[in-house]
Amino acid sequence: MKQQVANHYRYTLDQALRLTRDVECADCAKLPHEAAKHPGWVLSHLAAGSSFAAQLLGVDSGVPEDWMKLYGPGSEPGADRGAYPKKDELVSVFKNVHEAVTPAFERAADDLLAAPLPMEEYREFWPTVGDGLFYLLATHEPYHLGQLAVWRRAAGMGTAEGSF
């Protein structure tokens, strides 16, 4: 099952790149309606989530340390373009964290995956490291990429070629 999760995580990287390929940097914090989740927030939030996965796997994520505080759980997208890195950096950090997490997850030992999640506040939802990683790699990204697809439509961009 590990290989299927890793393959799915690769797929979500591909989908994120398709959904953002034609988005201009200046539009990365555009909020076409109040419930929208724009590309600046989605990519930074997903990179922060993947940095948590990297931490669980014991590898360097390459994600700036302050991104978890700025874009992690509980954060909300704002319309200030200056509050988000430039699109090239967002995409680069997002790709790099995927490239760090994917092979680390593929070679993760069963005893690591079975270990209790080190963050007690999340154990009710994800009792083990494996549960937390499954959520982060297989559920979290598609959920937010769906928001990005909705943002594209609200921004008048339609669907991205080859995306869901």
Side-chain angles (χ1 to χ4, degrees):
M1 185 58 110
K2 237 185 335 187
Q3 193 58 55
Q4 289 85 357
V5 172
N7 289 343
H8 181 72
Y9 189 60
R10 285 184 185 95
Y11 174 76
T12 59
L13 170 62
D14 180 66
Q15 289 299 300
L17 298 176
R18 288 174 190 262
L19 288 165
T20 57
R21 182 176 297 134
D22 59 347
V23 175
E24 297 295 327
C25 183
D27 293 334
C28 281
K30 181 179 175 184
L31 289 170
H33 64 77
E34 65 187 41
K37 306 289 188 186
H38 57 62
W41 183 83
V42 170
L43 290 179
S44 58
H45 179 73
L46 292 178
S50 288
S51 73
F52 180 45
Q55 178 185 350
L56 292 172
L57 291 163
V59 296
D60 180 22
S61 70
V63 177
E65 287 185 34
D66 62 343
W67 281 31
M68 185 59 82
K69 180 181 173 199
L70 293 170
Y71 313 119
S75 67
E76 288 292 328
D80 175 10
R81 181 63 190 94
Y84 301 91
K86 300 289 185 203
K87 180 185 171 190
D88 289 347
E89 181 183 357
L90 286 167
V91 170
S92 177
V93 169
F94 186 72
K95 284 171 63 174
N96 290 343
V97 71
H98 267 255
E99 290 169 4
V101 167
T102 304
F105 177 72
E106 289 174 316
R107 65 178 179 266
D110 289 343
D111 61 334
L112 170 66
L113 299 177
L117 192 75
M119 295 76 175
E120 285 187 44
E121 66 271 23
Y122 295 115
R123 264 194 222 144
E124 178 182 347
F125 305 106
W126 311 297
T128 67
V129 169
D131 292 317
L133 288 169
F134 182 84
Y135 170 75
L136 291 166
L137 276 61
T139 303
H140 186 239
E141 289 204 354
Y143 174 81
H144 288 296
L145 292 179
Q147 293 173 326
L148 190 51
V150 169
W151 175 89
R152 287 182 61 85
R153 290 180 188 96
M157 297 183 73
T159 59
E161 184 179 331
S163 68
F164 49 81

